[in-house]
Amino acid sequence: MFQEEMRIDNTMRKNAAQCKRKFQLANLLGIQSEKGSTALRFGSTWHGFMEGFYSGIKELGWAQREHAMEAGIMRGKTVWDRESAAFSYNDDYRTLENCANMFLQYMGHFGHDEGLLEVVNTEKVFSVELTRDTEFERVMYTKLPRIIFTGKVDMQMRLGGNFWINEHKTTGQNPNFIATRLHRNTAVIGYSYAAERTLQEKPEGVLVTIAQAVSRKSPTTGLYGKLTIDFARAPQIFTDADIEKWKHSFLCTCRDIYTCWEEAYFPAEFDRCYDYNKLCQYSKICETNMAIPLDPEYAHQITERIPGYIIKKWDVESEEE
């Protein structure tokens, strides 16, 4: 599987950094819980709204803004329906209706973009090699095959004449709090690395557009209160040293993956069984102490034995978004 090259995206890298067993189950075997993430469905739907709208602006221009908004709504609903059909969910305030309401407020909040923002491209899939340019890198990662970093840039745009790549992000937290953490966000730094090497023009950096949606549940009535919606744009500009440190971290995780693959064993990381007080979705599998196959052909041995799981492998290069 990894003899000649490893194709790794941000989600795979993050899973492997958290827990090698989680990487094996999710990314090698494609096993997922039948219970979907309400937050991820909401985020994917939001990306659908954004992709539909800005693709419409690119094609039709700002003079046809209302038609672009219709395209955004249609695209968002398509993503929502697709995600809803694939998994079961515990529903909360993150509904399609609230996502549409957030979209309409977004239109007002960034209404001044008309005439200032030019859409260059949307939803561009990339693949770029993490080259080992120094003697230190060649010695440290000598046994690794070619490492291909893959992903998808949400949008390329000119804002006030400057060229940026844009990343859409949804959150339940305060946008300003999220903005303070972005400069150490591995996904955002990775997009900067990829953009500089795959786009015809070097961007100023990554502009992260943050959309907050949050509502509190009453402990007495069980109902959700008023929805809080807010937005922010946080520019992130990285130095060559920032990107170099990111690349070493990425390659180090790939080295760990490769070692596990060579040894045919991906150990569980017990410190990660609970993240944010939430039990890992793969805990039922780990607690059986069954042997986990390496070959995806045998993934069905797990889903047939342990209820509550399906096989649905994620691939950012082919996944319809």
Side-chain angles (χ1 to χ4, degrees):
M1 181 179 296
F2 295 137
Q3 288 95 332
E4 296 181 2
E5 70 175 24
M6 295 175 63
R7 305 186 75 84
I8 306 291
D9 62 36
N10 274 313
T11 299
M12 297 168 70
R13 181 213 58 81
K14 183 177 180 180
N15 285 342
Q18 289 178 338
C19 176
K20 305 304 181 293
R21 177 63 55 82
K22 181 178 181 180
F23 171 85
Q24 180 186 13
L25 291 166
N27 302 117
L28 294 187
L29 302 181
I31 294 175
Q32 297 188 40
S33 170
E34 290 180 343
K35 182 70 71 175
S37 166
T38 306
L40 289 180
R41 177 177 62 172
F42 191 81
S44 295
T45 301
W46 179 250
H47 275 74
F49 276 102
M50 295 291 99
E51 193 275 331
F53 172 72
Y54 285 113
S55 292
I57 293 296
K58 180 179 184 296
E59 179 182 354
L60 304 171
W62 284 102
Q64 299 293 318
R65 179 189 180 107
E66 291 189 0
H67 291 293
M69 289 176 63
E70 291 176 6
I73 293 170
M74 290 177 62
R75 179 62 180 154
K77 185 178 185 307
T78 297
V79 174
W80 174 273
D81 290 343
R82 186 191 71 209
E83 295 297 314
S84 298
F87 303 96
S88 61
Y89 294 89
N90 292 323
D91 292 324
D92 57 18
Y93 64 90
R94 288 166 290 199
T95 64
L96 176 61
E97 180 182 2
N98 281 338
C99 198
N101 288 335
M102 188 165 72
F103 176 63
L104 295 177
Q105 291 193 39
Y106 176 92
M107 293 294 101
H109 188 92
F110 292 111
H112 57 275
D113 282 349
E114 188 168 348
L116 292 176
L117 190 155
E118 175 193 352
V119 181
V120 177
N121 208 344
T122 60
E123 298 291 306
K124 179 177 176 58
V125 173
F126 65 80
S127 63
V128 59
E129 184 174 0
L130 268 66
T131 56
R132 280 151 271 183
D133 304 309
T134 66
E135 184 63 23
F136 174 78
E137 291 173 340
R138 288 188 285 271
V139 170
M140 286 292 291
Y141 311 110
T142 184
K143 72 175 184 178
L144 285 180
R146 293 176 69 231
I147 303 299
I148 308 299
F149 173 44
T150 65
K152 186 180 292 184
V153 173
D154 288 343
M155 183 164 67
Q156 303 164 47
M157 66 185 191
R158 297 188 191 281
L159 188 61
N162 295 317
F163 181 61
W164 294 85
I165 60 173
N166 183 84
E167 169 73 5
H168 301 297
K169 182 173 181 60
T170 55
T171 181
Q173 297 177 304
N174 183 283
N176 293 325
F177 171 74
I178 295 297
T180 62
R181 304 172 62 180
L182 289 174
H183 203 68
R184 303 298 292 178
N185 184 288
T186 52
V188 175
I189 302 175
Y191 293 140
S192 185
Y193 176 90
E196 290 183 10
R197 288 156 179 79
T198 59
L199 303 183
Q200 293 182 345
E201 182 177 353
K202 182 177 179 179
E204 298 288 330
V206 183
L207 197 62
V208 183
T209 303
I210 305 167
Q212 178 198 28
V214 64
S215 178
R216 304 302 178 194
K217 187 176 183 180
S218 169
T220 54
T221 66
L223 301 176
Y224 286 94
K226 181 181 178 181
L227 186 69
T228 297
I229 294 175
D230 198 5
F231 306 99
R233 278 184 179 151
Q236 302 297 313
I237 299 174
F238 301 100
T239 66
D240 290 342
D242 293 328
I243 292 177
E244 190 70 15
K245 286 185 289 186
W246 166 85
K247 186 172 75 166
H248 279 295
S249 175
F250 200 109
L251 287 171
C252 188
T253 301
C254 290
R255 184 177 58 187
D256 291 343
I257 294 171
Y258 191 77
T259 299
C260 291
W261 177 73
E262 276 192 316
E263 297 173 352
Y265 182 68
F266 289 79
E269 175 55 71
F270 282 75
D271 289 332
R272 289 290 186 171
C273 291
Y274 283 90
D275 269 336
Y276 306 107
N277 297 319
K278 183 178 180 181
L279 183 63
C280 174
Q281 64 173 310
Y282 298 110
S283 60
K284 287 195 299 183
I285 297 176
C286 291
E287 288 172 1
T288 65
N289 294 318
M290 68 181 297
I292 307 298
L294 291 176
D295 193 329
E297 279 192 33
Y298 300 104
H300 64 89
Q301 294 177 352
I302 295 175
T303 57
E304 289 172 359
R305 175 176 170 182
I306 306 174
Y309 294 95
I310 59 174
I311 298 174
K312 189 176 187 294
K313 195 167 184 179
W314 158 258
D315 182 358
V316 72
E317 295 183 90
S318 62
E319 183 79 1
E320 181 186 356
E321 284 270 53

